[in-house]
Every structure is written in C-alpha cells, then in structure tokens.
Amino acid sequence: MTIVEVTTLEPEVLEEAIPAHLKRPRTRPRSSPPGFTPKHASYSARFDEDVAILPMVYIGLQFPPRARVEPAIQTIEDGIAGSFGPDFHDRARYVDSQGKENIIFALYWRGRENHQRWNNLKPDGWWHADLAIGGEIGAFEERYQPSVMDTETTFSHPHPEGYATLADGMSGKTDTHEYWGSARDRIPRAQFDDLAPGVLHHADDPAKSETQGRTVVVQPHENLCLLRSGQDWTDTSGAEREFYLTEVRPLLEAGMREISEDGAGMGCHFNRYVQLEMDGAPVERTYSLSAWRSLADLEAWVKADTHLQIFGAGIRHFKKAGERAKLRLYHEMMVLKASDQRFTYFNCHNQTGMLRRLPDTRRSKVP
C-alpha cells in the first residue's frame, strides 16, 4: 500500500495598496466587487511614516527644431545639481501640437525641507532668466506638492519609477487593482473625501490670451488630478517585444493623440506623451503626463473605447508573455489641493500646459 502525502497550498495573501499608517475610517466604500481577486500582480510604493509631502517640479524648455538650446539646458542642469537639489530627476523630450520641441526635466524630493531650501537659494525665474522675452525659446515651471494622503502608485513589477525611486520599499502584491474605481481606492484621502473638483474661474480679459513675449501664472483649482503613466520595454525581446511594439504601442499612441488634441471636452487640461533620455539620447521608456479637471473625468475616459482598446491590448500582452513578461508599466497619480500647485509659463505658445485653459481660468501677468 502506498501512502501519498497531499500538501494543500495556502492562497496567496495580497496586501491593500494603502499602507497601515495611512488607513482612516472609511466613509466612502471601496469599489472592488465582493470576493474579487486580481489575475495579475501589482505593487505600490511604500514610504516610512516620517514622509508626509512629496514635492515635484517639472521644468520645460520649448523651442523650434535646430534652435541653439544648449545654454538653456545647462542653466537647468546647473540648478538641479546645486545644493539641496532633487533626490531624483529624469529628462524627456517630445514634439508638441505646434511643432515645437520640448525638453522636460522632472524633479523629485523626498520631503518638503530640502525642496524648500533649494527653492530659497534660487532667485525668482532662475529657470528662464537668461532667455530673451519674445525670443525663440520658451520655458515653463509646474510645481506640485502632494501629501502622501493625496497620491497613489501602481506597478506591474516591483521596479520603481518617478517618486517611487525615493520610497523605502515596495509593497507585496496588492489586491487593489484590475477593477473600475481601483485607482480611487488606492488614494488614502478618498477613504473619506469624494475628491470633487473646484470651480474653474472664467477669464476677465479675453485679450490676455496672447501668451508669448511675457510670463503668465495660471491659477489652479481644487482637486486637479495629475497622472504620470509610464512604459518601459527595455528588457523585452523576441515575441514579447514584437507584440508590444506592433499591438500595444500603436493603440497607446492613438490614445495619447486623442487626449492631447481633443482632451479638453473630456476634462483633460493637457497631456504630454514623452520619451525619456539618458545622456541626451532616447531610451526605450516613455510616459504621459496628463492633468485632468477631476479624477472622475479621468475615470470616465478610461472606460471610453480608445482606452479600452489600450487596456485590452495590455491584458493580452501579459497573458501572452506570462510570468516571464519583461514589459514594465506603472503610474503615479495624485489629486491635488489648489494650494499644492503652481503653473508658470515664460514666452510659451498658448497650447502649452495649463495655458490651454486660459479662456476658463483667471491668470496674472508678471512684469
């Protein structure tokens, strides 16, 4: 008689995306269906309890092709390298709707203190001080200081990007993804706040819609939603690489065009789909940075046909590649208080960033 020993495997324990120290009594229930278990892995960045604020600054240069932009780049790079500079930064490039090239520096700090020290050492407008008013180069600075209560991340692999590079670690596999409303469920403030947007202020002088040749500060509104969503296919090869480049990426690019060109009617203030650079050369990593009137507007777009096609292609990619998939996808998202945002544009065309919203926002001219 043969005795066979049977081992029962325990089901995998999944974590919630919101860490324990950010849990609050829920007055707004989660959106996950009863008994729901995701089919694919997802991870979230974890910060120690002493980290409360995650300052970030996007500095951009805008210029016609073949412009002599190297001195302006050097000014920004010198500022980044100065005392109390960002704990992490990256650089990317894209061509905008007006045919202008844009170089974008994304700067991140782990906490408010060093960011404030860095800012205090800089004269106002240092990032464009050497540029000529009315010249061929424009510049912009977009500042965000989300509380850790106002932001969330999700990663297909435990491989950090963006502010997650400054985290103390990554979670284990989480249960808070792959269902409608999961992004909202990952934001700690959404446990008790509906994250409704503030009112956009109407322009008091339509003649001010001309933006080149001056500096414009755009007034933000409450609960603007900012999403950085990225793709890294560096380590893919063979059939997986071919599937991403021929089946997934074209649909992604179509979606990026849709919200870049026609996003205003969907609640998207602006969208930039950029390619990351290392030492001035492009690498196989992209991300989009999009600002939305509200999280609800973004949630509506992800259910639209264009995004559903992207989402479906991504699911097919990971199903086809299986556990050995090398494609890395991620996003960091935040719903920002008005006091945690600032948008400043120097000599930029009126389709730049929040300048697209000038007919609907109050803004001030800076001498």
Side-chain angles (χ1 to χ4, degrees):
M1 179 177 181
T2 303
I3 299 176
V4 178
E5 185 174 315
V6 178
T7 301
T8 302
L9 296 177
E10 292 293 328
E12 188 171 28
V13 177
L14 302 178
E15 301 180 19
E16 287 193 48
I18 297 176
H21 72 280
L22 298 181
K23 289 289 190 68
R24 300 292 185 273
R26 269 198 178 272
T27 60
R28 305 191 66 82
R30 281 178 46 144
S31 300
S32 55
F36 176 79
T37 301
K39 294 181 180 179
H40 302 93
S42 182
Y43 307 83
S44 292
R46 293 284 194 247
F47 286 89
D48 286 347
E49 294 185 35
D50 63 325
V51 178
I53 303 293
L54 295 167
M56 55 194 73
V57 179
Y58 283 82
I59 299 177
L61 294 170
Q62 181 183 98
F63 50 93
R66 296 180 295 280
R68 186 173 178 270
V69 73
E70 289 76 17
I73 293 173
Q74 192 61 54
T75 294
I76 295 171
E77 289 182 340
D78 289 346
I80 291 172
S83 299
F84 308 112
D87 298 305
F88 171 77
H89 76 277
D90 56 35
R91 168 178 159 175
R93 184 184 298 254
Y94 80 109
V95 177
D96 66 29
S97 63
Q98 307 302 298
K100 295 290 183 73
E101 289 198 40
N102 288 247
I103 293 177
I104 311 289
F105 296 85
L107 284 54
Y108 294 89
W109 285 261
R110 180 188 158 92
R112 195 199 303 268
E113 187 173 330
N114 278 350
H115 171 254
Q116 191 60 55
R117 290 174 175 174
W118 177 82
N119 196 49
N120 290 342
L121 290 172
K122 298 283 183 288
D124 287 344
W126 66 271
W127 43 275
H128 67 76
D130 297 331
L131 301 178
I133 283 280
E136 64 177 359
I137 301 175
F140 56 87
E141 181 189 68
E142 297 167 350
R143 292 175 171 263
Y144 310 99
Q145 293 196 75
S147 160
V148 292
M149 290 292 292
D150 296 341
T151 186
E152 60 87 13
T153 58
T154 186
F155 293 82
S156 64
H157 294 67
H159 184 89
E161 287 272 7
Y163 72 62
T165 59
L166 309 179
D168 295 286
M170 296 290 275
S171 70
K173 295 178 182 178
T174 71
D175 66 353
T176 324
H177 68 105
E178 283 186 11
Y179 60 88
W180 300 124
S182 59
R184 187 181 291 265
D185 286 350
R186 292 190 294 268
I187 299 175
R189 181 155 62 99
Q191 295 169 106
F192 53 85
D193 190 320
D194 66 0
L195 309 179
V199 176
L200 285 171
H201 298 282
H202 291 284
D204 53 357
D205 181 2
K208 290 183 179 179
S209 61
E210 176 54 51
T211 57
Q212 290 182 290
R214 66 193 185 99
T215 300
V216 178
V217 177
V218 179
Q219 178 179 316
H221 64 80
E222 201 70 24
N223 287 333
L224 176 144
C225 178
L226 187 76
L227 172 67
R228 172 170 167 161
S229 180
Q231 308 80 33
D232 181 347
W233 65 99
T234 307
D235 294 337
T236 62
S237 61
E240 183 188 6
R241 184 181 188 84
E242 181 180 4
F243 189 88
Y244 176 71
L245 294 176
T246 62
E247 301 293 332
V248 182
R249 193 181 184 194
L251 294 173
L252 172 64
E253 291 174 340
M256 295 299 97
R257 284 193 299 272
E258 178 177 270
I259 57 175
S260 295
E261 297 170 6
D262 304 317
M266 307 171 195
C268 182
H269 293 326
F270 67 81
N271 178 62
R272 303 181 184 118
Y273 177 54
V274 306
Q275 185 151 14
L276 282 157
E277 296 183 336
M278 295 288 288
D279 300 321
V283 295
E284 294 179 329
R285 293 157 60 200
T286 52
Y287 73 82
S288 64
L289 184 75
S290 57
W292 296 77
R293 187 186 71 93
S294 68
L295 175 56
D297 287 320
L298 175 56
E299 289 173 323
W301 183 71
V302 300
K303 294 181 181 180
D305 287 345
T306 308
H307 184 268
L308 288 176
Q309 290 182 46
I310 301 168
F311 181 76
I315 293 295
R316 291 196 304 275
H317 180 103
F318 285 105
K319 184 176 181 179
K320 184 179 179 69
E323 292 293 325
R324 293 178 292 182
K326 298 297 184 183
L327 175 67
R328 299 186 187 118
L329 305 177
Y330 73 93
H331 80 231
E332 64 184 33
M333 188 176 73
M334 58 209 71
V335 177
L336 293 140
K337 298 180 174 66
S339 58
D340 293 335
Q341 315 161 48
R342 180 178 171 85
F343 304 93
T344 307
Y345 302 90
F346 171 83
N347 203 41
C348 292
H349 64 68
N350 62 13
Q351 295 300 300
T352 307
M354 289 296 287
L355 294 182
R356 297 181 66 196
R357 303 302 298 160
L358 273 179
D360 303 304
T361 55
R362 190 179 308 276
R363 69 278 188 208
S364 59
K365 180 177 178 180
V366 179

